Amino acid sequence: PPAVEGGTAYFATNLGALAAVDAATGRPRWVHRYPAFHTYLRASLAERRWRWANEPPVAAGGRVLAAPQDAATLIALRADTGELAWTAPRQGALYLIGSEDRLLLAGPTLAALDPRTGKRLWDAALPDAPCGRPVLGPAAAFVPTRSALLAAATANGALASCRQWPDDEAGGNTALAGGRLFIVSHDR
């Protein structure tokens, strides 16, 4: 799915390009090509979870942040021109979550990056790897893992709470809506 902001839809093709199109007309505004993995490597990388999860870009603060599945880096572009602003190494991350002033990468660790520069601000170890897409709340990131739902402070990554899954539940993708946290797993 695309990220939409200010009348522009931003797409990560996962085929070596990021694109911006006018949301009303579909007319291309720009296309940015990036170094992509060769197609023969993609299945192997997916099996080993050595690539980003399939998720939309983040468009905020004049930047488009994308973690294409066929790229080894996080890519930040200028939203108006598609020019490269910065890149950051994946370092095992699977998920990108962010807003105008906060950017987090979740994988074996939870890491915060400055969305304007890509500078790594902090890293915090997670007790278990994410098993679904995390979500960013006002003061915490909610990270579903195989064993628990973790809430980590966005200021420093410190674990604020941990809710163990009952035996008949499992983690999955998360979403915030109307002040409520929703978790969607493979069977619920």
Side-chain angles (χ1 to χ4, degrees), residues 78-173:
R78 287 187 46 180
D80 57 347
T81 64
E83 291 177 27
L84 183 66
W86 52 264
T87 62
R90 182 175 161 262
Q91 295 184 323
L94 297 170
Y95 299 96
L96 160 68
I97 53 175
S99 65
E100 190 166 323
D101 61 343
R102 290 181 284 175
L103 176 62
L104 300 178
L105 304 179
T109 65
L110 187 63
L113 279 68
D114 181 324
R116 290 167 293 283
T117 66
K119 178 184 175 195
R120 211 165 188 95
L121 303 174
W122 53 257
D123 283 278
L126 294 175
D128 198 1
C131 67
R133 189 177 197 288
V135 67
L136 190 59
F142 297 95
V143 182
T145 70
R146 289 177 189 82
S147 59
L149 175 65
L150 307 175
T154 56
N156 58 14
L159 289 182
S161 68
C162 176
R163 178 193 178 273
Q164 298 291 323
W165 302 120
D167 290 339
D168 63 339
E169 290 184 18
N173 293 329

Side-chain angles (χ1 to χ4, degrees), residues 4 15-16 38 53 66 81 101-102 105 125 174 183 185 187:
V4 180
L15 295 169
H38 292 285
T81 64
D101 61 343
R102 290 181 284 175
L105 304 179
T174 58
I183 303 164
S185 66
D187 63 350

Side-chain angles (χ1 to χ4, degrees), residues 13-68:
T13 65
N14 295 315
L15 295 169
L18 300 167
V21 301
D22 184 290
T25 67
R27 180 168 294 167
R29 293 198 172 165
W30 52 256
V31 174
H32 176 87
R33 294 205 151 288
Y34 56 84
F37 297 130
H38 292 285
T39 53
Y40 64 85
L41 287 175
R42 291 183 188 154
S44 176
L45 293 169
E47 289 170 5
R48 293 176 178 84
R49 292 182 57 116
W50 287 350
R51 69 176 185 177
W52 297 102
N54 188 17
E55 56 190 4
V58 172
R63 296 267 192 258
V64 176
L65 307 162

